[in-house]
């Protein structure tokens, strides 16, 4: 149902509903005793929000009310009135959990929850003491048990996970919130759970900043070793429940592994079989993510993988341009091909594959691949002969076999870079200019590919609009108005109507 427009006070610009809520809240808080009936009205407003009243305003008002009541310690005790206030407070939390799954209200609901947690940590409700861990558990249970992945709520919760106290508590609680059945039998819950794990960043930047949601939590410093042990245990549980999952879940497990887990594992070598199976049994994003994991093991654990370059070579195909993780592919390929000790016939195959793909790629990717080709020619100077090779001047006479899966057998070393010459006629000036690097001596320094990885076609279009083109005279007389020049045949024989 479409909401009615919120009426606004012409003098202050504030909504009338907000002013009414503030007025009633002030009356409630200024009274000597808490009026249970009025407080109950506020809670029921959140339960059944009128069309003219934004739910966010009701949640903000309840936040102010309960923060004041918590600080006054009005909620503590066993008296009948106190128990009634506690009951309404718990009902408010349940309603906030419901709003946490509503896309339009989840940001406000989570903000109110975290603010109440901050106050409740400093003014706990007996018999509980200290940090209200059960509140975080309630939020996590709500997110995990959602019928659809609550993307907006997860994104907002991730911001609070940058605080070390929230990070530690979340990590501790997740072990007890793992879905009871295997991931393949409850894919939505599994995806929600993995999405939360992917929010847990224990990188250097977070640990160095050392922010805390509750100031008093600074007294208990973040213990990296304890939390690393928890993360290791959590990963073992994920691996035990993550067998035979669909591709979407498999991809998410790999993302969690690469972004949050692999650098904190006790024994990363145990990942070898999982990554190898992922690389060989799948194509596209899953194979690419697995390749990134293998590269990490090669770098840090000194494992060897003989077919890594063949697998990397076969990941460059036209569909890759529509792959969500294509920036990772360029990044990985740049690192894998950094060594100047690689065989020239192997690197030549990558040069030809990139040049050939640049002919059929989107504009932004064509620029990246042309720059990449130039970098490879600088690293392997023996391949610069491909620029001037005249025996393979077009696709017909080109011995390069692009359908060959083994890069060494592709005959790229006997080919030429006629594709780059052809790209000099590209309709987009930036692509054409990038391809002209072969017309003169190669640059001394390599191009930095990093700034190009995040560029989109709209960025190239905007840059082209801002560039100044050379102006050409279209008439020997500068026109001063919309009339045609005098003494012309057109004006002599015709009149403009």
């Amino acid at each position: 149902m479409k909401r009615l427009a919120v009426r606004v006070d012409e003098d202050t610009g504030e909504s009338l509903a907000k002013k009414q809520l503030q007025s009633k809240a002030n009356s409630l808080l200024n009274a000597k005793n808490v009026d249970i009936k009025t407080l109950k009205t506020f809670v029921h407003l959140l339960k059944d929000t009128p069309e003219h009243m934004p739910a966010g305003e009701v949640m903000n008002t309840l936040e102010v009310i309960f923060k004041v009541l918590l600080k006054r310690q009005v909620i503590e005790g066993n008296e009948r009135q106190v128990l009634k206030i506690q009951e309404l407070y718990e009902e408010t939390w349940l309603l906030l959990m419901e709003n946490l799954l509503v896309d339009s209200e989840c940001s406000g609901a989570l903000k109110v929850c975290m603010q109440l947690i901050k106050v409740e940590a400093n003014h706990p409700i007996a018999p509980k003491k200290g940090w209200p861990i059960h509140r975080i558990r309630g939020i996590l249970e709500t997110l995990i048990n959602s019928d659809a992945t609550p993307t907006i709520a997860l994104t907002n919760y991730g911001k609070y996970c940058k605080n070390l106290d929230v990070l530690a508590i979340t990590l501790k609680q997740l072990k007890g919130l793992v879905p009871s059945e295997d991931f393949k039998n409850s894919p939505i819950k599994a995806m929600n759970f993995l999405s939360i794990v992917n929010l847990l960043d224990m990188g250097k930047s977070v640990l160095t900043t050392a922010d805390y949601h509750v100031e008093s939590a600074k007294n208990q410093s973040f213990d990296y070793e304890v939390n690393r042990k928890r993360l290791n245990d959590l990963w073992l549980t994920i691996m035990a429940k993550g067998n035979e999952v669909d591709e979407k879940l498999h991809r998410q497990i790999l993302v969690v592994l690469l972004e949050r887990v692999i650098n904190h594992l006790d024994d990363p070598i145990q990942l070898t079989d999982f990554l190898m199976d992922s690389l060989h049994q799948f194509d596209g994003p899953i194979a690419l993510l697995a390749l990134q994991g293998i590269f990490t093991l090669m770098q840090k654990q000194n494992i060897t993988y003989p077919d890594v370059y063949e697998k990397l070579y076969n990941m460059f195909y036209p569909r890759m341009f529509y792959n969500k993780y294509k920036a990772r592919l360029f990044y990985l390929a740049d690192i894998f091909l950094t060594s100047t000790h690689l065989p020239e016939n192997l690197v030549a195959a990558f040069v030809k594959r990139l040049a050939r793909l640049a002919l059929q790629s989107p504009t932004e990717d064509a620029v990246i691949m042309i720059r990449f080709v130039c970098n490879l020619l600088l690293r392997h100077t023996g391949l610069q002969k491909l620029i001037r090779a005249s025996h393979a001047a077009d696709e017909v006479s080109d011995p390069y076999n692009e359908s060959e899966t083994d890069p060494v057998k592709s005959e790229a070393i006997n080919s030429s870079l006629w594709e780059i010459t052809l790209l000099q006629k590209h309709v987009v000036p930036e692509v054409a200019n990038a391809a002209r690097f072969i017309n003169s001596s190669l640059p001394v320094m390599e191009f930095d590919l990093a700034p190009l990885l995040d560029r989109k076609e709209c960025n190239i279009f905007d840059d082209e609009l801002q560039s100044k083109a050379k102006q050409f005279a279209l008439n020997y007389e500068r026109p001063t108005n919309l009339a045609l020049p005098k003494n012309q045949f057109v004006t002599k024989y015709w009149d403009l109507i």
Side-chain angles (χ1 to χ4, degrees):
M1 182 181 292
K2 187 177 180 180
R3 284 189 177 275
L4 299 174
V6 178
R7 289 183 295 171
V8 177
D9 190 324
E10 295 181 358
D11 295 330
T12 62
E14 293 184 343
S15 67
L16 293 175
K18 181 178 179 180
K19 293 183 68 176
Q20 291 171 0
L21 288 170
Q22 288 177 343
S23 176
K24 289 182 179 180
N26 288 334
S27 300
L28 174 69
L29 295 173
N30 290 331
K32 185 176 181 181
N33 295 316
V34 178
D35 186 348
I36 299 296
K37 187 177 180 180
T38 304
L39 183 57
K40 191 174 183 179
T41 303
F42 278 109
V43 176
H44 284 184
L45 273 177
L46 184 55
K47 188 175 183 179
D48 300 306
T49 308
E51 291 290 340
H52 67 280
M53 187 173 293
E57 297 293 353
V58 180
M59 288 189 286
N60 290 334
T61 305
L62 283 168
E63 176 196 336
V64 173
I65 292 172
F66 282 113
K67 280 168 69 174
V68 172
L69 295 180
L70 284 167
K71 290 177 181 177
R72 292 178 183 174
Q73 298 184 333
V74 176
I75 303 182
E76 289 191 42
N78 296 316
E79 298 176 9
R80 183 177 178 182
Q81 185 183 31
V82 171
L83 293 175
K84 193 63 180 176
I85 295 174
Q86 288 181 2
E87 184 181 320
L88 290 172
Y89 183 55
E90 295 303 324
E91 185 179 351
T92 300
W93 266 96
L94 292 176
L95 294 172
L96 288 171
M97 294 299 100
E98 291 179 9
N99 279 276
L100 201 58
L101 301 180
V102 180
D103 286 348
S104 59
E105 307 295 345
C106 62
S107 299
L110 184 61
K111 187 268 295 182
V112 172
C113 289
M114 299 307 293
Q115 288 301 314
L116 290 175
I117 285 174
K118 184 182 288 189
V119 177
E120 198 173 330
N122 295 318
H123 305 279
I125 303 172
K128 295 182 173 63
K129 297 180 181 180
W131 231 100
I133 295 173
H134 63 291
R135 302 296 186 196
I136 291 291
R137 187 180 181 88
I139 293 172
L140 295 175
E141 286 177 342
T142 302
L143 295 175
I144 292 172
N145 294 322
S146 174
D147 293 333
T149 303
T151 307
I152 300 176
L154 287 167
T155 301
N156 285 301
Y157 188 72
K159 297 175 184 176
Y160 291 100
C161 285
K162 300 294 183 185
N163 299 304
L164 295 183
D165 48 351
V166 178
L167 174 62
I169 291 169
T170 301
L171 188 54
K172 185 177 181 180
Q173 294 300 311
L174 279 178
K175 188 67 189 329
L177 296 175
V178 180
S180 55
E181 59 271 35
D182 287 344
F183 286 173
K184 64 180 179 181
N185 298 325
S186 55
I188 297 177
K189 279 187 180 180
M191 179 60 73
N192 296 343
F193 179 80
L194 291 170
S195 298
I196 293 175
V197 178
N198 199 36
L199 302 175
L200 307 180
D201 184 1
M202 292 205 300
K204 288 183 179 179
S205 59
V206 175
L207 299 182
T208 304
T209 306
D211 289 330
Y212 287 83
H213 183 62
V214 178
E215 289 297 320
S216 58
K218 290 183 178 179
N219 299 329
Q220 301 174 352
S221 59
F222 183 84
D223 192 328
Y224 171 75
E225 285 302 321
V226 170
N227 286 287
R228 190 178 67 82
K229 178 72 165 56
R230 288 172 181 162
L231 187 62
N232 275 263
D233 293 341
L234 192 61
W235 176 250
L236 292 176
T237 305
I238 291 172
M239 291 299 293
K241 291 185 172 290
N243 295 320
E244 300 179 4
V245 294
D246 58 27
E247 290 193 16
K248 187 177 180 181
L249 272 178
H250 196 126
R251 183 170 67 244
Q252 186 65 20
I253 291 173
L254 282 168
V255 169
V256 170
L257 170 64
L258 296 175
E259 295 186 354
R260 303 301 181 213
V261 177
I262 195 168
N263 292 325
H264 308 288
L265 289 179
D266 292 329
D267 189 11
I269 292 293
Q270 293 182 0
L271 297 171
T272 306
D273 291 341
F274 171 64
L275 293 173
M276 294 292 189
D277 291 342
S278 300
L279 186 62
H280 287 290
Q281 294 175 12
F282 297 91
D283 291 322
I286 292 179
L288 173 58
L289 292 168
L291 185 64
Q292 183 179 346
I294 290 171
F295 172 72
T296 302
L297 295 183
M298 291 172 67
Q299 232 183 3
K300 298 185 177 180
Q301 304 297 323
N302 294 321
I303 70 164
T304 57
Y305 181 66
D307 299 328
V308 66
Y309 287 99
E310 182 177 337
K311 197 68 181 177
L312 177 64
Y313 176 76
N314 288 297
M315 286 184 182
F316 285 96
Y317 55 95
R319 274 194 307 152
M320 63 161 275
F321 302 125
Y322 310 102
N323 188 331
K324 179 181 177 182
Y325 302 103
K326 68 179 179 182
R328 292 186 192 227
L329 178 58
F330 286 124
Y331 171 75
L332 278 177
D334 190 31
I335 294 176
F336 270 110
L337 298 171
T338 298
S339 173
T340 57
H341 300 290
L342 294 172
E344 281 192 349
N345 55 354
L346 172 67
V347 182
F350 280 93
V351 169
K352 280 295 292 184
R353 178 62 65 90
L354 290 167
R356 187 67 61 88
L357 284 174
L359 291 175
Q360 48 190 312
S361 70
T363 306
E364 65 275 17
D365 296 322
V367 175
I368 295 174
M369 287 186 282
I370 292 170
R371 299 298 192 200
F372 198 176
V373 166
C374 181
N375 288 352
L376 292 176
L377 295 179
L378 289 173
R379 294 173 196 171
H380 304 271
T381 54
L383 295 180
Q384 293 179 17
K385 66 181 181 181
L386 298 176
I387 297 175
R388 305 302 173 200
S390 58
H391 60 278
D394 53 38
E395 189 174 7
V396 177
S397 58
D398 194 345
Y400 170 64
N401 182 7
E402 64 179 331
S403 61
E404 173 60 56
T405 57
D406 186 348
V408 176
K409 298 177 181 178
S410 65
E411 290 293 325
I413 195 69
N414 298 318
S415 180
S416 70
L417 288 177
W418 58 266
E419 297 94 344
I420 302 297
T421 304
L422 189 58
L423 283 167
Q424 295 177 10
K425 300 177 182 179
H426 199 282
V427 67
V428 179
E430 185 167 345
V431 177
N433 292 334
R436 291 192 179 98
F437 77 90
I438 62 173
N439 293 344
S440 56
S441 57
L442 297 181
V444 178
M445 301 291 293
E446 290 187 10
F447 290 101
D448 183 9
L449 299 182
L452 301 176
L453 296 179
D454 295 326
R455 291 194 81 198
K456 298 187 176 359
E457 197 166 20
C458 58
N459 302 129
I460 294 177
F461 183 78
D462 292 339
D463 291 344
E464 197 59 38
L465 286 178
Q466 294 173 6
S467 64
K468 292 183 178 180
K470 185 177 180 181
Q471 296 184 351
F472 296 91
L474 301 179
N475 197 343
Y476 62 89
E477 289 185 18
R478 181 179 292 277
T480 56
N481 51 40
L482 293 178
L484 293 171
K486 294 180 180 180
N487 304 319
Q488 291 286 325
F489 286 105
V490 175
T491 56
K492 182 177 180 180
Y493 296 106
W494 286 277
D495 290 329
L496 293 180
I497 299 176

